[in-house]
Amino acid sequence: MNDRTVCVYGVGSSHFGKQPDTSPSELAWTAVAEALGDAGVDSVDAVYVGTVFGAPGVAQRALHALGIVEVPILTLENACASGTTAYHEAFTAVGLGRYERVLVLGVEKMTAAFDGAIHPEDTDAEGRSGLALPALYAMSAARYVHEHGLTPEQLALVSVKNHRHALGNPRAQYRGDHTVEEVLASRLIADPLTLLQCCPIADGAAAAVLGPDRGEPRDIRIRSSVLRSGALWDETSPHVWGFDLVAATARDAFDQSGVGVSDADLFEVHDAFTIGEIVTTEALGLAEPGGGGRLVESGHTTIGGPQPVNPSGGLLSRGHPLGCTGVAQVAEVVWQLRGEADARQVGNARIGVVETMGGGVAGIDGNACVVSVLERPHAGPGAR
Amino acid sequence: MNDRTVCVYGVGSSHFGKQPDTSPSELAWTAVAEALGDAGVDSVDAVYVGTVFGAPGVAQRALHALGIVEVPILTLENACASGTTAYHEAFTAVGLGRYERVLVLGVEKMTAAFDGAIHPEDTDAEGRSGLALPALYAMSAARYVHEHGLTPEQLALVSVKNHRHALGNPRAQYRGDHTVEEVLASRLIADPLTLLQCCPIADGAAAAVLGPDRGEPRDIRIRSSVLRSGALWDETSPHVWGFDLVAATARDAFDQSGVGVSDADLFEVHDAFTIGEIVTTEALGLAEPGGGGRLVESGHTTIGGPQPVNPSGGLLSRGHPLGCTGVAQVAEVVWQLRGEADARQVGNARIGVVETMGGGVAGIDGNACVVSVLERPHAGPGAR
């Protein structure tokens, strides 16, 4: 639908982790300065921001101090997909010729909002039942195990893989070389999910600069980006919660991109909990329904395998500052496609996919899902 | 910049006021159902939502229960201008051909978030000094009085006028026939602002349906909509805080609309506090700097005068549910331009202007401002 090709010119991020003494502005400054420098751009026409728990004006506070003033600043909330929602709106704005240089910023300081996990809303049925997010994902996992016979070891392997990937990511919150046994022996949070199968509370910011194709070899082309919200979830469906939304969004994104899932060289997906990655790889079409456990077991999605998933460490290990996450995923894909991912580099990466799934309480099959297909358009240093 | 003319097809709103027993979804359902019915539209391609303090997913919770599913739902925060920011994004999306039918929803349940006034952020200099919003506006008023010699009576007249306007608005939160003496004798909140000069905490929702021009006589054409964020405020400026941002945004909006401020028949502006309307009428060009007090005194901005300001009662009397307000302003202008405003109808209204100013703490001259010029394109029942 866009009138012109859109590229990511540059990306940046803060460190990820619990950083209670670092303000949201400081997190944002680090990410934005890196992204602008990486893009070789010193001014922008508009800013799209993702945050969930940021105070009103959190972006303006940070941006005005950087001299980013007078341009439209738009702050979007779409639960865990807030950052990718901001990216999607920026992509569309550039594609339709509305702006020439757009900054995307994801910023979240979760340690300022919560002392433990995210509290459920007590106006939702889930909240009134005390069902926090780990419990919801645990129910999803239990249902999945019932339907497909996933083993605890297969589930734990997602955590093992992503934590090992994060060993190569100096920005990641947790970088641990864990065994399946260690993952299963970690503290039980919500059966069957143990501590190492749940993403941590994190603070962080990530940024990207988007614009029309300018012929720079380092720029990464966005082949497609699709945003959808979910339907009311049919609890009689054999698909667990979220599957249908991710599958529909991915189908549209691949259709619009002109490439298929088998063409993709790497994926950054929403592994807020281990079961999330299992279900998402199936919804994306990397495995048949019920095949997600065998997929991770096969090494297919490990760095060195044919189609690595979450080379950054994912939400489980890089961390999950909600509104930041989608932009951090985009940054990782850009680094990978350029061949700038150092110890976690995926070999000969030409096409990368970002998927973020946000929310989904109150009986909804996801508040929002964004899937985007990115491509290294020129032979560059990433070609190994 | 848009490729095609955009119209408001229909509008709706809940009642405004403290409604602690009404959920955000219930508020939204009332507004959305009215707007869809008014527009004669039964499905939409996308939804832009304004809210400041709404919980993550507040819009999805409401919309999915109405069967509005699978389409993009984008929730925007821009302080008091959140609703108009959502409207602006919808306007642009339709104008650029991205969508054919867009729902705009503003929803805010402030009684769920606050038991009194909005708390300042303690990470801001203002917050650390205990300067809540009434105090900030009071300092602005004190500076204005020093610069221009505004009298307490002139300031109070804004409240008298807007409360009297609200007598004709059955949806308004407060409908009181107050004298200047009563306004000045009401409880002092922050010198010189008394209780009746401060907008109340409110719950409410408003909605609008936008699409391309379809030739319907009842549709209201949007001649322009402009969104800007502010600059760092220069405290040595003779202009009080916010003036420069509103003036710059209004200048662009009038330029793009092809009409001038003298062509406008009515205005819905951001009178969160009486001083706000004084400053805003000057920034819009209705009066010279320093002339805002004499303007209201002259009756120029009263219903029956040449250019009524806030015929709905404004934020002071209709109420100010933050993320809802901008959409409520649009709804009022639409009702006025159609001649459907009953007891508060402005005679022969052909052109109306909406202005909302959001935020502006941390030394910033406004987080965002939106100004939009709307027009009744056909002779219809509003032509009196």
Side-chain angles (χ1 to χ4, degrees):
Chain A
M1 195 184 62
N2 280 357
D3 300 326
R4 57 180 180 175
T5 301
V6 183
C7 289
V8 183
Y9 293 176
V11 292
S13 87
S14 69
H15 180 72
F16 297 87
K18 293 187 174 68
Q19 303 170 76
D21 297 328
T22 307
S23 72
S25 288
E26 290 168 316
L27 295 168
W29 294 335
T30 303
V32 171
E34 184 182 0
L36 291 173
D38 189 40
V41 157
D42 56 14
S43 72
V44 295
D45 306 328
V47 187
Y48 286 87
V49 183
T51 193
V52 179
F53 300 108
V58 62
Q60 279 87 348
R61 283 178 178 81
L63 294 169
H64 284 78
L66 293 174
I68 297 172
V69 295
E70 299 183 358
V71 298
I73 298 173
L74 300 130
T75 299
L76 290 133
E77 182 273 314
N78 236 337
C80 299
S82 297
T84 359
T85 295
Y87 159 84
H88 177 81
E89 289 299 287
F91 161 74
T92 306
V94 172
L96 293 175
R98 188 174 170 192
Y99 303 119
E100 295 300 309
R101 299 283 182 275
V102 178
L103 175 66
V104 183
L105 168 65
V107 59
E108 205 75 64
K109 187 165 172 190
M110 297 185 70
T111 56
F114 303 105
D115 49 8
I118 297 173
H119 307 303
E121 295 291 322
D122 64 9
T123 49
D124 292 331
E126 295 88 343
R128 285 192 299 272
S129 312
L131 286 170
L133 283 162
L136 288 167
Y137 272 95
M139 290 173 74
S140 191
R143 173 65 179 266
Y144 185 98
V145 166
H146 173 77
E147 292 284 342
H148 300 297
L150 184 77
T151 68
E153 290 74 17
Q154 287 171 324
L155 196 57
L157 261 176
V158 173
S159 171
V160 171
K161 169 179 73 69
N162 290 354
H163 279 89
R164 285 187 182 152
H165 286 175
L167 290 171
N169 186 355
R171 301 174 197 239
Q173 180 167 10
Y174 291 118
R175 305 164 66 205
D177 190 2
H178 301 293
T179 63
V180 164
E181 293 68 32
E182 285 168 353
V183 169
L184 292 175
S186 65
R187 183 156 62 89
L188 189 66
I189 300 299
D191 193 15
L193 302 174
T194 57
L195 183 68
L196 288 169
Q197 301 188 57
C198 304
C199 63
I201 292 285
D203 305 319
V209 178
L210 273 58
D213 194 349
R214 57 180 178 176
E216 282 280 335
R218 289 180 76 244
D219 293 349
I220 298 299
R221 184 184 295 164
I222 305 173
R223 288 190 72 116
S224 67
S225 175
V226 172
L227 165 72
R228 288 173 73 108
S229 72
L232 286 175
W233 180 59
D234 173 8
E235 73 284 4
T236 66
S237 164
H239 296 159
V240 302
W241 168 86
F243 176 93
D244 289 336
L245 174 58
V246 177
T249 312
R251 189 187 59 230
D252 287 355
F254 283 118
D255 281 355
Q256 291 181 22
S257 75
V259 299
V261 65
S262 59
D263 298 313
D265 301 302
L266 73 132
F267 299 79
E268 283 284 313
V269 310
H270 194 75
D271 63 330
F273 301 88
T274 46
I275 185 64
E277 183 172 310
I278 299 277
V279 172
T280 300
T281 51
E282 297 173 12
L284 290 170
L286 275 167
E288 292 297 303
R294 291 187 298 278
L295 182 79
V296 64
E297 214 169 31
S298 73
H300 188 93
T301 56
T302 305
I303 293 175
Q307 294 186 293
V309 172
N310 287 323
S312 70
L315 284 55
L316 285 170
S317 317
R318 184 186 56 222
H320 184 25
L322 270 65
C324 162
T325 283
V327 191
Q329 292 175 307
V330 170
E332 176 68 13
V333 167
V334 167
W335 288 321
Q336 290 284 352
L337 295 181
R338 283 184 185 160
E340 297 175 353
D342 301 327
R344 66 187 186 284
Q345 181 64 47
V346 172
N348 197 27
R350 198 178 63 84
I351 291 177
V353 175
V354 166
E355 177 273 345
T356 333
M357 160 76 169
V361 290
I364 299 167
D365 187 27
N367 288 4
C369 180
V370 177
V371 175
S372 180
V373 179
L374 297 95
E375 176 188 42
R376 169 168 54 85
H378 307 275
R384 296 190 172 184
Chain B
M1 194 184 62
N2 281 359
D3 300 326
R4 56 182 180 175
T5 301
V6 183
C7 289
V8 183
Y9 293 176
V11 293
S13 87
S14 70
H15 180 74
F16 297 87
K18 293 188 174 68
Q19 302 171 77
D21 298 329
T22 308
S23 71
S25 288
E26 290 167 314
L27 295 168
W29 293 336
T30 304
V32 171
E34 184 182 359
L36 291 173
D38 189 40
V41 157
D42 56 14
S43 72
V44 296
D45 306 327
V47 188
Y48 286 87
V49 183
T51 192
V52 179
F53 301 107
V58 62
Q60 278 87 349
R61 284 178 178 81
L63 294 169
H64 285 79
L66 292 175
I68 298 173
V69 296
E70 300 183 359
V71 297
I73 298 174
L74 301 131
T75 298
L76 291 133
E77 181 274 311
N78 236 338
C80 299
S82 296
T84 359
T85 294
Y87 160 83
H88 177 79
E89 289 299 287
F91 161 74
T92 306
V94 172
L96 292 174
R98 188 174 171 191
Y99 303 119
E100 295 301 308
R101 300 282 182 273
V102 178
L103 175 66
V104 183
L105 168 64
V107 59
E108 203 76 63
K109 187 164 172 191
M110 296 185 70
T111 55
F114 302 105
D115 49 7
I118 297 172
H119 305 303
E121 294 292 321
D122 63 9
T123 50
D124 292 331
E126 295 88 344
R128 286 194 298 274
S129 312
L131 286 169
L133 283 163
L136 286 167
Y137 272 95
M139 289 173 73
S140 191
R143 173 65 179 267
Y144 185 98
V145 167
H146 172 77
E147 292 285 342
H148 300 297
L150 184 78
T151 68
E153 289 75 17
Q154 287 172 324
L155 196 57
L157 262 176
V158 173
S159 170
V160 171
K161 169 179 73 71
N162 291 354
H163 279 89
R164 285 188 180 151
H165 286 176
L167 290 171
N169 186 355
R171 300 174 197 241
Q173 180 166 11
Y174 291 118
R175 305 165 65 203
D177 190 0
H178 300 293
T179 63
V180 164
E181 293 67 34
E182 284 167 355
V183 170
L184 293 176
S186 65
R187 184 158 59 91
L188 189 65
I189 300 298
D191 192 16
L193 301 174
T194 58
L195 182 68
L196 288 169
Q197 301 188 56
C198 303
C199 64
I201 293 286
D203 306 318
V209 178
L210 273 57
D213 194 349
R214 58 179 178 176
E216 282 281 335
R218 288 181 76 245
D219 293 349
I220 297 300
R221 182 184 296 164
I222 304 173
R223 289 191 71 115
S224 68
S225 174
V226 172
L227 166 71
R228 290 172 73 108
S229 72
L232 287 174
W233 180 61
D234 174 6
E235 76 282 6
T236 66
S237 163
H239 297 158
V240 302
W241 167 86
F243 176 91
D244 290 337
L245 174 59
V246 177
T249 311
R251 190 187 57 229
D252 288 356
F254 283 117
D255 281 356
Q256 290 180 23
S257 75
V259 299
V261 65
S262 60
D263 298 314
D265 300 304
L266 73 131
F267 299 79
E268 282 284 311
V269 309
H270 194 74
D271 62 330
F273 301 88
T274 45
I275 185 65
E277 182 172 311
I278 297 278
V279 172
T280 299
T281 51
E282 297 174 12
L284 290 170
L286 275 169
E288 291 297 302
R294 289 186 300 277
L295 182 79
V296 64
E297 213 170 31
S298 73
H300 188 93
T301 56
T302 305
I303 294 174
Q307 294 186 292
V309 171
N310 287 321
S312 69
L315 285 56
L316 285 170
S317 316
R318 182 187 57 222
H320 183 25
L322 269 65
C324 161
T325 283
V327 190
Q329 292 175 307
V330 169
E332 176 67 14
V333 167
V334 166
W335 288 320
Q336 289 285 351
L337 295 180
R338 284 183 184 160
E340 297 175 354
D342 301 326
R344 65 189 186 283
Q345 181 64 48
V346 172
N348 197 27
R350 197 179 64 84
I351 292 178
V353 175
V354 166
E355 178 273 343
T356 333
M357 160 77 170
V361 290
I364 298 167
D365 188 26
N367 289 5
C369 180
V370 176
V371 175
S372 180
V373 179
L374 296 95
E375 176 188 43
R376 168 168 55 85
H378 307 273
R384 294 191 173 184

